[in-house]
Amino acid sequence: MPGLATVRQIEAVGFRAWPATSVHYDGTWAIRMTAAHPSKRLNSINPLDPADIRDIPARVERASQRFRAYGRRPVFRQSPLAPPELDDYLASRGWERLDETVVMTADLTAMDFAGTIDQIPLRDIGRYVDASLKVHGRDASLRAGFSELLNGIRPVKGMFMIEEDGQPVSVALCVHDGAMAGLFDIGTSRESRRNGHGRAIVASALKWAMKHGAKTAWLQIETVNAPGLALYEGFGFTEIYRYAYRESPNHEG
């Protein structure tokens, strides 16, 4: 388990790289809400201090009320910064634990980018959004919300795409924030997998980040994604910590 300072650094970088449209604090709980996009990372309660255990039942109810107002099921994102007492309370109330996720980092300066293409990132957010939705097979109704999210990213971002026969087959988003570079939205269309596109686009994104001064790369991936874990381990990524979500058994919190 890393020190809490390391976890806090990565969590802060992650919040900047994947910004919610509304953030409210109850003590050290960051309540992130984004009406235009359903991502749990953008719509969750994020405890940021394991010592903050004051009035847990009342605060859970207050946070749940905010989610009800948005028409969303209340969700806590439980990283190592979340108090164990809170997790015990949520479990006792029937909040389901789901989507366990590994946070991984890698030393960019130790990577060998010989033979990696110097791909120029896209400038057109709309083009990237359309490519991402197609590659991931997501509904077109997410277009506006994803566009809003990308426009809201304040650190430098690189949007990468690989095409075949004029059609997008792989995408990657890299957000460069100081010495850190985060990978997001990595995907290859189902019919184009096992052709090396995933490795190629990740390598190009990481090379771009290193050339812009990043020293450490990081990412988040669900534990059930065995092919993705194998891909990133091949680049030298190792686990730093994990988080999971606790979802209310109903919309009433």
Side-chain angles (χ1 to χ4, degrees):
M1 176 67 67
L4 292 183
T6 298
V7 177
R8 287 193 176 98
Q9 179 189 25
I10 296 176
E11 290 290 293
V13 170
F15 287 169
R16 291 193 294 270
W18 209 247
T21 55
S22 170
V23 182
H24 170 80
Y25 283 89
D26 185 338
T28 57
W29 295 5
I31 304 170
R32 289 162 50 87
M33 305 291 297
T34 303
H37 199 284
S39 164
K40 285 195 286 294
R41 269 187 279 174
L42 297 174
N43 295 277
S44 55
I45 305 134
N46 296 257
L48 301 177
D49 183 355
D52 185 359
I53 58 174
R54 174 183 53 84
D55 300 331
I56 285 176
R59 293 165 71 191
V60 168
E61 173 56 26
R62 286 199 299 269
S64 296
Q65 288 176 0
R66 289 183 174 273
F67 277 74
R68 288 197 292 270
Y70 266 74
R72 297 196 185 279
R73 191 182 299 272
V75 175
F76 275 81
R77 182 172 169 275
Q78 299 288 86
S79 78
L81 301 180
E85 294 88 346
L86 171 62
D87 199 61
D88 291 343
Y89 174 78
L90 296 174
S92 73
R93 302 283 292 183
W95 290 56
E96 182 183 4
R97 189 176 189 274
L98 42 78
D99 297 349
E100 185 176 30
T101 300
V102 181
V103 178
M104 310 178 80
T105 63
D107 181 359
L108 282 171
T109 65
M111 293 186 187
D112 181 5
F113 292 110
T116 298
I117 296 174
D118 285 305
Q119 188 173 347
I120 299 174
L122 295 175
R123 293 183 178 274
D124 186 339
I125 285 179
R127 185 182 175 197
Y128 179 82
V129 168
D130 289 340
S132 175
L133 295 179
K134 182 177 179 63
V135 165
H136 290 287
R138 293 170 180 155
D139 193 271
S141 63
L142 295 175
R143 190 181 195 281
F146 193 30
S147 298
E148 180 181 335
L149 167 64
L150 293 177
N151 275 306
I153 297 173
R154 292 293 170 256
V156 178
K157 61 180 176 290
M159 301 177 294
F160 298 88
M161 175 178 66
I162 293 176
E163 291 183 310
E164 281 188 344
D165 300 324
Q167 296 298 316
V169 296
S170 193
V171 292
L173 172 67
C174 186
V175 180
H176 174 215
D177 189 347
M180 306 285 288
L183 291 177
F184 300 87
D185 198 43
I186 309 296
T188 299
S189 58
R190 187 175 301 277
E191 61 274 13
S192 299
R193 292 174 186 169
R194 300 187 182 278
N195 290 320
H197 296 312
R199 178 171 293 278
I201 201 165
V202 168
S204 291
L206 292 175
K207 184 177 183 180
W208 170 84
M210 187 189 70
K211 291 179 70 173
H212 282 75
K215 305 298 183 185
T216 301
W218 72 278
L219 57 86
Q220 305 167 87
I221 180 171
E222 290 188 15
T223 56
V224 296
N225 187 349
L229 286 167
L231 170 65
Y232 300 131
E233 287 169 355
F235 279 96
F237 281 88
T238 57
E239 179 177 338
I240 296 297
Y241 63 93
R242 297 186 178 200
Y243 67 82
Y245 294 94
R246 284 282 187 187
E247 186 176 68
S248 170
N250 53 61
H251 280 83
E252 298 305 313

